[in-house]
Amino acid sequence: MQTVNGNTNTSVVYLQNIQRLLAIEREEDNKQFKEEFLRADVNKRRENGVTWYPVVINNEEPTLSNTVLIEVERSTFLDKPHQFSGGKNILFFSNKNNELNEISGTIKSVYRNSMKIVVNCEDLPDWAYEGKLGINLQFDDNTYNEMELALGRVISAKGNRTEELRELIHGNGTPQFETIDESILLPGLNLSQNRAVRKVMAAKDVAVIHGPPGTGKTTTLVQAIRLSVQQEKQVLVCAPTNTAVDLLTEKLLEQGVNVLRLGNPARVSDELVSSTLDGKIIASEYYKDIKSLRKNAEEYFKMASKYKRTFGREEIAQRALYYAEAKNCVKEANLLEDYITSQQLENAQVIACTPVTASSRMMRDRRFKTLFFDEASQALEPITWIPLLKCQRIILAGDHFQLPPVVKSREAEQGGLKITMLEKCMEKENISVLLTIQYRMHNAIMEFSNEMFYNNQLQADISVKDVLLSNDENYPALNRAIDFVDTAGCGYDELQNPETLSLYNPEEASLLWKHLSKLLADYKLATGKETLDISIGIIAPYKSHIELLKEQLSEIELSDDIKKRIAVKTIDGFQGEERDVIYISFVRSNNEGEIGFLSDIRRTNVALTRAKKKLVMIGDSATLANNNFYKKLIDFCEAKNCYTSAWEYISL
């Protein structure tokens, strides 16, 4: 056993190992980022969400730190997810005449089709005005820096609340609770949800809301937050993704809670804009003054830029004067913005943000009693500590049997970096409450996951338990909740994209569309409905297969109305979502029986639990059954009489 300052401390030793693994992960992540960037051309990088090209400059203004703030807009809007967000480092570039010019910068904010960037130069160079401009995302050092800083503070903590929380989570300490208030009985919640809220309200240190798919985790968490802000002046709410933070923000606003949403997610719903800091600044009585000052600064900047090339002493003085006036205007505008920001931070009942945003300059001196951390099963432990350093207790919500954190280094993963704070807390007794009633899926769809992950503790609510696409016995595919279509023996071998190294399976994809077309035709006959009124999701574990499916979807003979109801995404893309019908294409089919990261069965659990009325799985049993989990899944389907061979559909 290692010692720390002469004493054995298992919690510190554990976190020192996590610190070492994080450094390994950082190196591997950077390496993969560079390799992927070099492999892909500009069009591929656009699709991957790491490049905006081409862009135009809509506005520019000087800052107080001898940099330039520019606003750029995409000339061509791609309605696809991207990885750009506030605080990330970028390269602003031009490749006119095949000559690459670059300046580094930092993203201030991102909107649907535009971005504000602080560029690291006093004046924009000439090439910035000559077209063929773009933005490349750089490796995200900032997140790693903040995680390493937080871990260092936790490891060295002594004689403070951080040390106490460290020992409670990783040491032999026992989290404490007040007497449970049994009078808490919220009418919109079921018994297990109310039990979870009572646990949260009684927790002195840490509590966990364990929410399996469809059990109303977000609903429960929102009610716990609502009750907490009645007792505490302000609480901090975090989640590892902007999407999860946005969802919580929307649900809290519906409950009448005053939420300040910090950060600038790439896609903000119209209902959410007013709760962001930018939205509140725009709504302020001082906004007209801010706008006027910034407009004046822009005019002064333009006048100064006229003296850009050869000029004499008088012109130099005039240019300096214009710059000084511009910076004075910017300074006054910033002071007004800071005043509004301070007011909003002080008055909000809930501050909602991603963990890294919690360490931003405006949050530096703020402290809270409670941190609510949603989707905690997807967050590396070091990132959870970033906001927790500001708080006295933490409420974790999530399901460690669903999506885990992404760890790219095999060494770091095997060393334990993938183990989340939620998982460590679940090892403690009487700290978590399992939500047991699920409101999403037919009982048969729930059954396998319930047995494999949740010890058969889940129950399907009566509102969903027996709901199928149709009960018409003439259409058996509609009155079965599950189908497993086995491609074994069909020769549907997987292929690898040489550029991205991702896998795809063309024949399996074609089979999926045949099955879906037959299902939709049967549904139309069974229901007599001319228009489709069900939602359909198609899930695959590999990006190349997703791209193939999307390409085929655009070509198959289905009406535009039907195509609009079909979503094709990876497993990660469907986290937190649901559809009436879900197709899963497993892709893997090879003589070696290799299934790659399909062996991470928690990810598969997410895919298996997205469907409400119908789940269709397509895969090669000869390959999949080499893994015990998939063998049990196939056996389960056979036992339920929902196993069919692909040969039944090939001739369609």
Side-chain angles (χ1 to χ4, degrees), residues 406-421:
V406 175
V407 177
K408 296 184 178 180
S409 164
R410 183 175 295 274
E411 180 182 352
E413 179 180 356
Q414 293 177 344
L417 184 60
K418 210 168 191 175
I419 300 172
T420 63
M421 184 182 291

Side-chain angles (χ1 to χ4, degrees), residues 64-196:
L64 297 176
S65 55
N66 294 321
T67 57
V68 180
L69 175 66
I70 63 173
E71 181 178 352
V72 300
E73 183 176 4
R74 282 189 280 188
S75 303
T76 304
F77 179 58
L78 290 179
D79 188 20
K80 290 186 176 182
H82 58 74
Q83 299 179 39
F84 291 89
S85 61
K88 290 192 174 182
N89 296 324
I90 56 90
L91 284 175
F92 175 53
F93 71 88
S94 166
N95 63 359
K96 190 169 185 179
N97 300 323
N98 293 322
E99 182 180 342
L100 182 64
N101 293 289
E102 297 176 326
I103 304 177
S104 64
T106 304
I107 299 172
K108 182 179 180 183
S109 57
V110 180
Y111 302 90
R112 287 178 176 82
N113 206 27
S114 63
M115 188 189 309
K116 288 185 178 179
I117 305 162
V118 178
V119 182
N120 298 324
C121 60
E122 188 171 349
D123 297 320
L124 285 180
D126 291 345
W127 57 257
Y129 302 95
E130 296 173 356
K132 291 205 170 181
L133 304 174
I135 311 291
N136 280 334
L137 194 65
Q138 287 192 292
F139 180 69
D140 187 11
D141 276 313
N142 186 47
T143 297
Y144 280 103
N145 289 339
E146 293 297 337
M147 285 194 288
E148 289 175 358
L149 184 63
L151 264 184
R153 290 178 61 186
V154 175
I155 289 168
S156 63
K158 191 170 184 180
N160 57 19
R161 183 56 174 162
T162 298
E163 182 192 21
E164 292 174 357
L165 289 171
R166 182 190 71 204
E167 297 307 310
L168 284 168
I169 294 168
H170 290 293
N172 296 321
T174 302
Q176 299 297 304
F177 292 84
E178 303 278 4
T179 302
I180 299 289
D181 184 356
E182 300 292 346
S183 68
I184 296 176
L185 190 64
L186 301 177
L189 303 185
N190 62 43
L191 183 61
S192 66
Q193 290 170 333
N194 269 298
R195 194 162 57 241

Side-chain angles (χ1 to χ4, degrees), residues 29 50-51 200 226 256 269 321 346 348 369 463 495 522 530 573 651:
D29 195 4
V50 295
T51 293
V200 168
R226 185 181 65 81
S269 65
L321 182 63
E346 194 62 31
K369 178 183 177 182
S463 62
L495 301 174
D522 286 354
E530 290 298 321
S651 60

Side-chain angles (χ1 to χ4, degrees), residues 372-614:
F372 288 90
F373 202 109
D374 195 16
E375 302 297 356
S377 58
Q378 297 182 51
L380 293 174
E381 177 168 345
I383 209 167
T384 310
W385 278 109
I386 296 173
L388 183 51
L389 287 169
K390 297 177 173 294
C391 304
Q392 298 295 304
R393 68 174 191 144
I394 182 170
I395 308 302
L396 299 159
D399 179 12
H400 53 300
F401 297 126
Q402 294 189 68
L403 283 182
V406 175
V407 177
K408 296 184 178 180
S409 164
R410 183 175 295 274
E411 180 182 352
E413 179 180 356
Q414 293 177 344
L417 184 60
K418 210 168 191 175
I419 300 172
T420 63
M421 184 182 291
L422 184 143
E423 289 176 89
K424 295 299 291 186
C425 288
M426 292 288 286
E427 295 174 3
K428 304 277 183 178
E429 291 186 10
N430 301 319
I431 203 173
S432 69
V433 174
L434 175 71
L435 306 182
T436 57
I437 307 297
Q438 69 86 11
Y439 299 90
R440 173 182 297 161
M441 66 201 90
H442 188 282
N443 188 67
I445 298 173
M446 177 193 75
E447 196 172 346
F448 181 73
S449 287
N450 194 15
E451 178 183 338
M452 294 298 295
F453 296 100
Y454 306 109
N455 297 316
N456 290 315
Q457 295 180 78
L458 304 186
Q459 298 176 32
D461 186 71
I462 192 171
S463 62
V464 298
K465 183 178 180 181
D466 300 313
V467 178
L468 297 161
L469 289 175
S470 171
N471 291 312
D472 190 335
E473 294 182 359
N474 293 314
Y475 301 95
L478 302 181
N479 54 52
R480 283 196 310 264
I482 304 174
D483 279 341
F484 185 95
V485 184
D486 190 358
T487 65
C490 295
Y492 291 179
D493 293 338
E494 66 193 49
L495 301 174
Q496 187 175 55
N497 184 318
E499 184 176 308
T500 65
L501 306 183
S502 182
L503 299 173
Y504 63 104
N505 193 320
E507 289 87 0
E508 187 170 295
S510 298
L511 178 66
L512 185 152
W513 295 120
K514 287 182 179 181
H515 190 286
L516 177 58
S517 297
K518 176 70 164 59
L519 188 79
L520 294 177
D522 286 354
Y523 183 77
K524 184 177 179 180
L525 291 171
T527 61
K529 295 178 180 178
E530 290 298 321
T531 57
L532 189 68
D533 60 350
I534 55 174
S535 58
I536 299 163
I538 299 174
I539 300 175
Y542 295 95
K543 287 184 179 179
S544 284
H545 196 67
I546 290 293
E547 291 172 4
L548 174 64
L549 287 165
K550 288 181 176 179
E551 183 181 321
Q552 291 180 343
L553 175 60
S554 67
E555 296 172 353
I556 61 176
E557 294 183 9
L558 290 175
S559 70
D560 289 341
D561 288 339
I562 292 177
K563 288 182 179 180
K564 287 177 182 177
R565 288 184 166 270
I566 301 174
V568 184
K569 302 180 186 180
T570 61
I571 295 171
D572 295 55
F574 270 105
Q575 171 72 1
E577 296 190 15
E578 61 187 27
R579 296 292 189 274
D580 292 310
V581 179
I582 286 287
Y583 277 78
I584 304 173
S585 179
F586 286 114
V587 180
R588 301 309 301 259
S589 180
N590 55 74
N591 294 329
E592 295 76 23
E594 294 180 357
I595 63 170
F597 61 75
L598 278 181
S599 58
D600 189 341
I601 60 175
R602 292 181 294 179
R603 304 182 76 83
T604 304
N605 185 37
V606 174
L608 294 174
T609 53
R610 300 304 99 192
K612 296 162 68 176
K613 302 173 183 177
K614 178 76 176 182

